[in-house]
Amino acid sequence: MSGQPTSRVLLSVTGINPRRWHQLLSARREVVLEPDGEADPSITYAVVWKQRPNVLSKLPNLKAIFSVGAGVDHVFHDPGLPDVPIVRVVADNLTQYMTEYVVWRVMDHHRQGALYRSQQARKVWHEPPQRPAGDISVGIMGLGTLGRASATALLSLGFRVNGWSRTDRPMDGVSTYHGEAGLVPFLNSTDILVVLLPLTAATEGMIDYDLLGQLRRRNGLGGAVLINAGRGRLQRDADILRALDDGTLKEASLDVFETEPLPETSGLWSHPKVFITPHAAATSDPDHLVGPMLDQMDAFERGEPLRDLVDREAGY
Ligand code: NDP
Ligand code: OXD
C-alpha cells in the first residue's frame, strides 16, 4: 500500500451506469471502482447504490458512506456494512422530480385520465361529471422531505391533504396523523393514497389488502386510488391486484414493485386500472448530486458535521 494516495473514493454501484458519476467525482477526488487487495486503507469515502456485499467491510479508514439515492434500504442489505455515518440524498432537483410525479399521477386520477384513454381507444365522445379538487383528500404516507413538498404542491391545487408519519409532524393546511394509532383514521379520511415511505423493518409489506380496504371508497372519484413511489417491497403486488379486481381500489399508479424490473409475468403490466412507470419517479441525476457530495467531503475534512444523515436505528 505504500505510496498510495490516502483519501480515495470508492464508487460501488450496481444496476445504474457509473460513467457520469465516475467522471464528476474524478474531477475533484481520486476514484476507484474496486478496493486494492484485501484491506484498502486508501479509501475514506464510498458512494454507493446497491453496493456489492462486503465490499465496504474491507476499508479500515472509511469515514462515511454516501447513498446515490434518497432511500437507503439498498445500503442496508449488506451484511458487512461498517459502522460509519451514512449520508442520503436530499436535493431540490430530486424533490422537484418527485413533486412533479405525484402531482401528475394525482391529477391524472382526479381528471379521469384512464377513462378518457379508454374512450379515445373506442372513439367514444362522452363527458363524465367533474368535481372540484377540494372534494378529494390526498393522503401522503411519509411526510418527510418528498412528502412535504408534494403536500405543498397539492394544497396549492386545492386538494385536501392528509399526512402520516412515524413521529408527530405538524404542517400548515395538512391534517396530520402519526404512528400506529394514527394510521386507520388517516386511511379512513383518504381518497387517493400516495406512498412516499422508506423501506424499513417497520414498513415492509404494509401496503396490503387490509390496509387498502381502510381507504375511503364512497367519494367523488368513485373509488379509492393508490399511488406508490416509495419502495416496491412496501406493497404486496398480489394484494393490489386483488383489490383492483374486487373494487377495493379503483385505480393504481405504481412506480415501484416487489421485484424490479417488474417480471413479464406480472398481472400488473396489462391491468387496465394500473399505470406503470419503471422506478422513474425521481431520478438521481449525478450532474446535480455529485457537487454537493464532494462539498460535504471537503467540509467534513474541515471539521464540519455531515448533513442529511441516516438514523441507523430507524433505518432511514
Ligand atoms: P424522509 O426520510 O425525509 O421521509 C420519510 C417519511 O416517512 C418521514 O415522514 C417518516 O416519519 C416516515 N416514516 C418512516 N418510517 C415510518 C413508519 N414506520 N411509520 C410512519 N411513518 C414513517 O424520506 P424522503 O421523503 O426523502 O424519501 C422517502 C422515500 O422515497 C425514500 O426512502 C425512497 O424509498 C423513496 N424514493 C423513491 C424514488 C423513486 O424514484 N421512486 C426517488 C427517491 C426516493 P418521520 O417524519 O416521523 O421521521
Ligand atoms: C431513491 C430512488 O431512493 O431513486 O432516490 O429510488
Side-chain angles (χ1 to χ4, degrees):
M1 290 289 154
S2 63
Q4 262 194 350
T6 51
S7 185
R8 303 201 296 173
V9 175
L10 173 73
L11 176 63
S12 182
V13 297
T14 60
I16 62 168
N17 186 343
R19 201 183 58 84
R20 188 67 181 149
W21 295 90
H22 192 278
Q23 202 175 34
L24 292 166
L25 286 164
S26 302
R28 285 168 50 188
R29 297 244 165 193
E30 185 174 338
V31 181
V32 293
L33 296 171
E34 282 292 333
D36 288 343
E38 263 305 290
D40 187 338
S42 72
I43 293 169
T44 45
Y45 301 102
V47 174
V48 304
W49 180 258
K50 298 180 188 164
Q51 75 274 11
R52 272 196 304 103
N54 291 312
V55 73
L56 304 180
S57 65
K58 298 171 184 145
L59 312 178
N61 292 326
L62 190 68
K63 291 186 193 144
I65 298 166
F66 288 80
S67 164
V68 156
V72 289
D73 47 291
H74 66 96
V75 180
F76 285 113
H77 78 283
D78 186 346
L81 187 66
D83 189 13
V84 298
I86 302 169
V87 177
R88 70 187 197 92
V89 168
V90 176
D92 290 349
N93 161 264
L94 186 128
T95 303
Q96 172 69 21
Y97 282 148
M98 185 59 86
T99 306
E100 289 171 5
Y101 172 86
V102 171
V103 168
W104 173 41
R105 297 321 310 149
V106 167
M107 288 306 297
D108 188 52
H109 292 291
H110 168 54
R111 293 304 301 257
Q112 310 189 68
L115 174 67
Y116 287 120
R117 285 187 287 274
S118 124
Q119 289 193 173
Q120 185 175 346
R122 292 174 288 121
K123 301 183 181 162
V124 171
W125 186 272
H126 163 69
E127 186 187 349
Q130 284 185 23
R131 67 273 139 176
D135 284 0
I136 309 297
S137 288
V138 183
I140 303 183
M141 279 185 107
L143 207 52
T145 305
L146 303 178
R148 297 177 94 79
S150 297
T152 302
L154 292 167
L155 285 173
S156 76
L157 291 168
F159 290 97
R160 281 183 278 152
V161 181
N162 303 321
W164 184 70
S165 49
R166 187 170 62 93
T167 58
D168 190 13
R169 298 275 186 208
M171 180 172 174
D172 276 354
V174 177
S175 303
T176 53
Y177 304 80
H178 67 278
E180 225 172 293
L183 182 57
V184 170
F186 162 80
L187 296 167
N188 288 172
S189 55
T190 290
D191 306 309
I192 299 181
L193 180 67
V194 176
V195 182
L196 287 174
L197 286 168
L199 177 65
T200 67
T203 60
E204 180 157 14
M206 74 179 297
I207 311 299
D208 62 8
Y209 185 80
D210 289 345
L211 181 143
L212 297 171
Q214 301 281 353
L215 293 170
R216 206 157 57 180
R217 282 194 294 286
R218 259 185 254 118
N219 57 23
L221 289 170
V225 170
L226 168 68
I227 299 172
N228 186 5
R231 280 288 182 270
R233 278 169 47 215
L234 295 166
Q235 76 196 20
R236 300 278 180 231
D237 290 4
D239 286 17
I240 294 173
L241 282 166
R242 179 180 163 207
L244 288 163
D245 287 340
D246 72 8
T248 298
L249 272 183
K250 180 184 178 227
E251 292 168 359
S253 283
L254 303 173
D255 184 57
V256 287
F257 304 89
E258 274 185 78
T259 304
E260 294 179 7
L262 182 62
E264 275 182 33
T265 51
S266 170
L268 290 168
W269 277 117
S270 52
H271 201 291
K273 297 177 180 170
V274 179
F275 186 92
I276 288 179
T277 43
H279 198 142
T283 295
S284 286
D285 180 348
D287 285 282
H288 286 267
L289 303 184
V290 168
M293 274 179 193
L294 290 164
D295 291 346
Q296 280 235 63
M297 293 173 198
D298 294 347
F300 189 57
E301 285 167 5
R302 290 194 303 269
E304 293 169 32
L306 292 165
R307 285 179 287 105
D308 310 322
L309 286 171
V310 170
D311 173 345
R312 273 184 181 247
E313 194 147 337
Y316 66 97

